[in-house]
Structures are given as structure tokens and as C-alpha cells.
């Protein structure tokens, strides 16, 4: 299998989206028998990192504003840390974005916060696409779109569809 992902490197001299084909069978842990025992939530977290950066923990995109495997912007990092603090867990300054463990913990917390916000807003059982769109657009923007993927930017919907495809393959 191959998966086309953004390479995580974007700057002012690049137009459009740079992509590369990444082998996922035998490459990504989500496709090993052991990974199938992961929770659906953890599979989703992994899928988002794969789509956002090819799971590149050193990726920097969006003119330096998006960082790490999950391409977290500062507001998402702060929201993720607020969720960690609410849960009584360790928080991480944005300067620690290169720490692989910090990236994962903040991304997981941010995704839990996205889930909580969607459920509180009436989305009883968010789909993988809705998780991704809330994660990548931010809750307020996704809410303004009525939590409806059809009302979201095409580029975001394409990425959400890739997250869903990977999720379905990993959880079969």
C-alpha cells in the first residue's frame, strides 16, 4: 500500500501542496497485528499524524506556524495543554514541540478536547472525519460549518477522507 501525504515542509517559495508517496504496509505501526489491539482513539491519533506529516516529528509547516507530527499551531498546543492540566497531567511549553512525547501527549489531549466539545455541542458519536476536521480547523471553525464535512474546505475534507480510510483499514 502507498499513501500520499504532505511532506510537512512549506515555505514562501513553494506553491501548492508538496506530496510524497509513503509506503504504509510494513512502515506504519497502525498496520501491524500488534497495533490492531490499540484503542480506536489511539489509531485515530496515529492516522492524523500520518496524514498531517507522514508521522514526521520534526515537520514544520504553514510558514513555521504548524509544528511536529500533528502539525499543531500554538492555539491548538495551548488548548491541548489546558486539557492536560484539567486532567491533572503534565503540561508542555510550546518550545518543547520537538519532544516526541510532548507532541503525542498534547495532540492526544487536544483530540480529547475536540471530542468533548463536539459531544457537548450535540455531535453524539463523532466520525473519524469529524474528529480530523475539528482537530485541523479548530472547534469554532468546524462548528461554524455546522459540523458538516460538506461545508468545509475541499483540502481539509480530502485529508479527513484519508484519515477515515486509514482508520478503517487499521480497525478492520
Amino acid at each position: 500500500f502507498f499513501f500520499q501525504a504532505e511532506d510537512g515542509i512549506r515555505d514562501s517559495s513553494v506553491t501548492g501542496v508538496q506530496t510524497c508517496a509513503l509506503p504504509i504496509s510494513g512502515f506504519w505501526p497502525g498496520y501491524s497485528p500488534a497495533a490492531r489491539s490499540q484503542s480506536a482513539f489511539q489509531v485515530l491519533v496515529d492516522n492524523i499524524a500520518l496524514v498531517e506529516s507522514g508521522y514526521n516529528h520534526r515537520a514544520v509547516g504553514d510558514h513555521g506556524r504548524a509544528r511536529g507530527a500533528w502539525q499543531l499551531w500554538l492555539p491548538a498546543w495551548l488548548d491541548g495543554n489546558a486539557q492536560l492540566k484539567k486532567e491533572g497531567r503534565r503540561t508542555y511549553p510550546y518550545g518543547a514541540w520537538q519532544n516526541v512525547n510532548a507532541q503525542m501527549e498534547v495532540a492526544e489531549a487536544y483530540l480529547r478536547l475536540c471530542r468533548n466539545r463536539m459531544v457537548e455541542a450535540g455531535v453524539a458519536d463523532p466520525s473519524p472525519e469529524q474528529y480530523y476536521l475539528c482537530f485541523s480547523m479548530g472547534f469554532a471553525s468546524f462548528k461554524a460549518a455546522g459540523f458538516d464535512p460538506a461545508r468545509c474546505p475541499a483540502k481539509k475534507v480530502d485529508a479527513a477522507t484519508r484519515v477515515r480510510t486509514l482508520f478503517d483499514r487499521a480497525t478492520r
Side-chain angles (χ1 to χ4, degrees), residues 11 15 19-20 23 25-26 41 47 51 59 75-76 82 90-91 121 135 137 141 170:
D11 62 35
T15 58
T19 60
C20 59
S25 58
F41 181 80
N47 292 162
V51 168
R90 178 182 177 185
T91 61
F135 184 93
M137 293 173 59
S141 294

Side-chain angles (χ1 to χ4, degrees), residues 136-151:
S136 67
M137 293 173 59
F139 176 77
S141 294
F142 190 43
K143 182 179 180 183
F147 304 111
D148 181 2
R151 295 178 53 198

Side-chain angles (χ1 to χ4, degrees), residues 48 52 70-72 76 106-108 110-111 114 130-139:
I48 290 171
E52 284 292 306
W70 289 269
Q71 291 293 279
L72 292 169
V106 172
E108 289 173 348
Y110 181 59
L111 196 60
C114 288
Q130 289 174 310
Y131 271 103
Y132 176 79
L133 291 166
C134 189
F135 184 93
S136 67
M137 293 173 59
F139 176 77

Side-chain angles (χ1 to χ4, degrees), residues 1 16 36 42 52 54 71 80 96 102-103 105 124 130 134 140 149 154-155:
F1 298 105
R36 293 190 190 278
Q42 188 59 51
E52 284 292 306
Q71 291 293 279
Q103 284 182 38
E105 289 194 35
Q130 289 174 310
C134 189
K155 188 173 168 182

